[in-house]
Amino acid sequence: MFAHILRRLIVWVPSVLLVMLGVYALAFYGAGDPIKLIFLRAPGDVAYDPVKIEAIRAEAGLDRPFLVQFFSYIWNLMQGNFGNSLTSGRSVWAMVSAAAPVSAALGLMTIVVTALVAVPLGMIAGMRQNSRLDYFILGTAVALWAIPAYVAGPLLMVLLLMILPDGAVPYGWGGIFSVKILLPLIVLSFQPIALILRQTRAAVIEVLSEDYVRTARAKGVPEHMVALRHILRPVLTPVVTQLGLIMITIVNGAIFVELVFGLPGLGRLTVQALINNDYPVILAVTLIGSFLVMASNLLVDLLYPLLDPRAADVKGS
């Protein structure tokens, strides 16, 4: 097991570095000079002073070659320094630290709701294959998968504004136990629930053909005991492998959900940074999102042998 973890970490570290290199290259060669755009937004003739523009660019270290800037950025990251915002001058780490708890709470609740809703419904649909209930559950999952967060969020907000009186629509952030989290949580859970539900259903149908399940049913074991003791664990194995896709869906959806529902999280911070061409903030948020996705994939690799010991045997051979 230790050798398996070590191999995964050896592969994971250079993968993180490659992602960081790609993100930094996109920021370096991307369209728009952040320093010039800051001056263009300023009033007066100062917006067109190329001398001052070059002076501030040199002060920020943006006039150096690409590789010099990149390795300097890596060195600063290793010391916990994400740099300062180009527009506000605030520490990027302080801005990210203030927004991250909101996104983390929303993402964690989304994963919990997805597991509590999708796994039971997927097991019910799989055990009642080709029944009306199965078709209804599967059809609902397909419909949810077809509605992205950037469509569901505004539509739900408009619908509630038409139904509820002014000021009654939950907006903003009131904590993880506040009623204000319900709407963004529902919207952000649509596609993860659809993904896990369909994966669970397919896994249940496959496990039902196993000899030990047929034997348990032949002995008269109640269906709920068959589901809990003989089906649940092997079903969780392929479901856990979807954690990376779930994390990608949550990270992408959070950008639109937080903006629509006024949540002061990383998604809203990302949109503001994109509007202002605030490259240090964009880099930090992108790297955090990439790190979360890659960390979830690493976690899947580590959990898979625990859920299915045969996988550890195959990898160790």
Side-chain angles (χ1 to χ4, degrees), residues 119-141:
V119 174
L121 288 180
M123 293 188 66
I124 293 173
M127 297 183 71
R128 300 284 299 275
Q129 183 184 9
N130 296 329
S131 66
R132 291 184 178 180
L133 181 59
D134 176 33
Y135 293 146
F136 174 76
I137 294 176
L138 188 59
T140 303

Side-chain angles (χ1 to χ4, degrees), residues 128-307:
R128 300 284 299 275
Q129 183 184 9
N130 296 329
S131 66
R132 291 184 178 180
L133 181 59
D134 176 33
Y135 293 146
F136 174 76
I137 294 176
L138 188 59
T140 303
V142 173
L144 292 178
W145 180 256
I147 306 176
Y150 60 83
V151 174
L155 287 180
L156 182 59
M157 180 63 75
V158 171
L159 179 63
L160 291 177
L161 287 172
M162 294 173 60
I163 296 175
L164 299 178
D166 293 340
V169 178
Y171 185 82
W173 176 251
I176 193 172
F177 299 109
S178 171
V179 69
K180 294 181 179 180
I181 200 177
L182 291 179
L183 292 182
L185 183 60
I186 290 172
V187 172
L188 200 57
S189 300
F190 278 175
Q191 290 193 328
I193 286 177
L195 175 66
I196 296 302
L197 194 155
R198 295 170 63 187
Q199 184 68 39
T200 303
R201 177 184 179 273
V204 168
I205 293 174
E206 182 178 353
V207 172
L208 286 176
S209 62
E210 297 290 341
D211 292 337
Y212 62 87
V213 175
R214 290 198 295 264
T215 301
R217 283 178 162 177
K219 290 181 178 180
V221 178
E223 280 295 298
H224 69 279
M225 295 303 296
V226 173
L228 293 177
R229 290 187 176 181
H230 302 284
I231 297 178
L232 183 58
R233 180 169 178 177
V235 163
L236 288 178
T237 303
V239 169
V240 167
T241 61
Q242 302 298 319
L243 183 60
L245 289 177
I246 294 176
M247 190 61 66
I248 293 173
T249 304
I250 292 175
V251 170
N252 291 336
I255 296 177
F256 305 99
V257 169
E258 291 179 5
L259 187 64
V260 171
F261 295 101
L263 303 180
L266 292 176
R268 189 174 182 180
L269 182 63
T270 302
V271 174
Q272 294 173 346
L274 289 172
I275 293 174
N276 297 325
N277 288 85
D278 199 345
Y279 287 169
V281 179
I282 296 173
L283 281 170
V285 176
T286 305
L287 289 175
I288 290 173
S290 303
F291 180 83
L292 287 175
V293 173
M294 298 182 69
S296 63
N297 288 327
L298 177 64
L299 182 61
V300 168
D301 287 338
L302 300 182
L303 288 178
Y304 200 86
L306 298 178
L307 294 173

